[in-house]
Amino acid sequence: MRQLAALLMSLALLVACGDEGADEVGEEATDEAVFRGEAEARPCSEVFGPREMASSKPGPCSDDGVLIVPGIASSECSDGRVLVHNDYAWGYVGEPWNPHEPGAEPVPPEPELDACFS
């Protein structure tokens, strides 16, 4: 019985060590993907500009040469539309993005919030 327990503990240790190696390889692969993404990503000012339609799942963008995967806050409005915003812009899904005013809080304007939740 003790030998079986020792064998199982050894097996668990090998599996755990094997996972660490896999994580390191995965991290390297992720770093390479991020590097490729920086070169291919459009500037955030374009991705979240008024010529683009707001989305609850936008892709990555580049901000001063740094790859950004922006988070999105979303709320379903009383009229069924979905209001989304992040650090760059706000909008309703399927409608154009509205960049935040310089120096303003990165949230939709108060009248839009009131209209959404009324």
Side-chain angles (χ1 to χ4, degrees):
M1 192 66 156
R2 286 184 181 170
Q3 289 177 337
L4 179 60
L7 178 63
L8 289 175
M9 288 176 60
S10 297
L11 183 59
L13 181 61
L14 286 173
V15 169
C17 290
D19 284 348
E20 283 184 28
D23 286 344
E24 289 174 13
V25 171
E27 288 173 10
E28 288 174 15
T30 301
D31 290 344
E32 289 177 21
V34 167
F35 181 73
R36 281 194 309 271
E38 283 181 30
E40 298 170 4
R42 292 184 359 203
C44 294
S45 60
E46 284 182 20
V47 172
F48 298 104
R51 293 184 180 180
E52 297 293 325
M53 295 298 131
S55 167
S56 60
K57 297 180 183 176
C61 58
S62 175
D63 193 1
D64 292 328
V66 176
L67 184 67
I68 305 289
V69 180
I72 296 287
S74 66
S75 301
E76 187 169 341
C77 299
S78 56
D79 64 4
R81 295 185 299 169
V82 177
L83 179 63
V84 292
H85 68 93
N86 61 19
D87 289 343
Y88 298 95
W90 66 273
Y92 294 95
V93 171
E95 297 179 20
W97 282 109
N98 299 283
H100 296 297
E101 294 294 325
E105 288 289 316
V107 296
E110 194 75 30
E112 293 297 329
L113 291 171
D114 291 344
C116 178
F117 298 114
S118 63

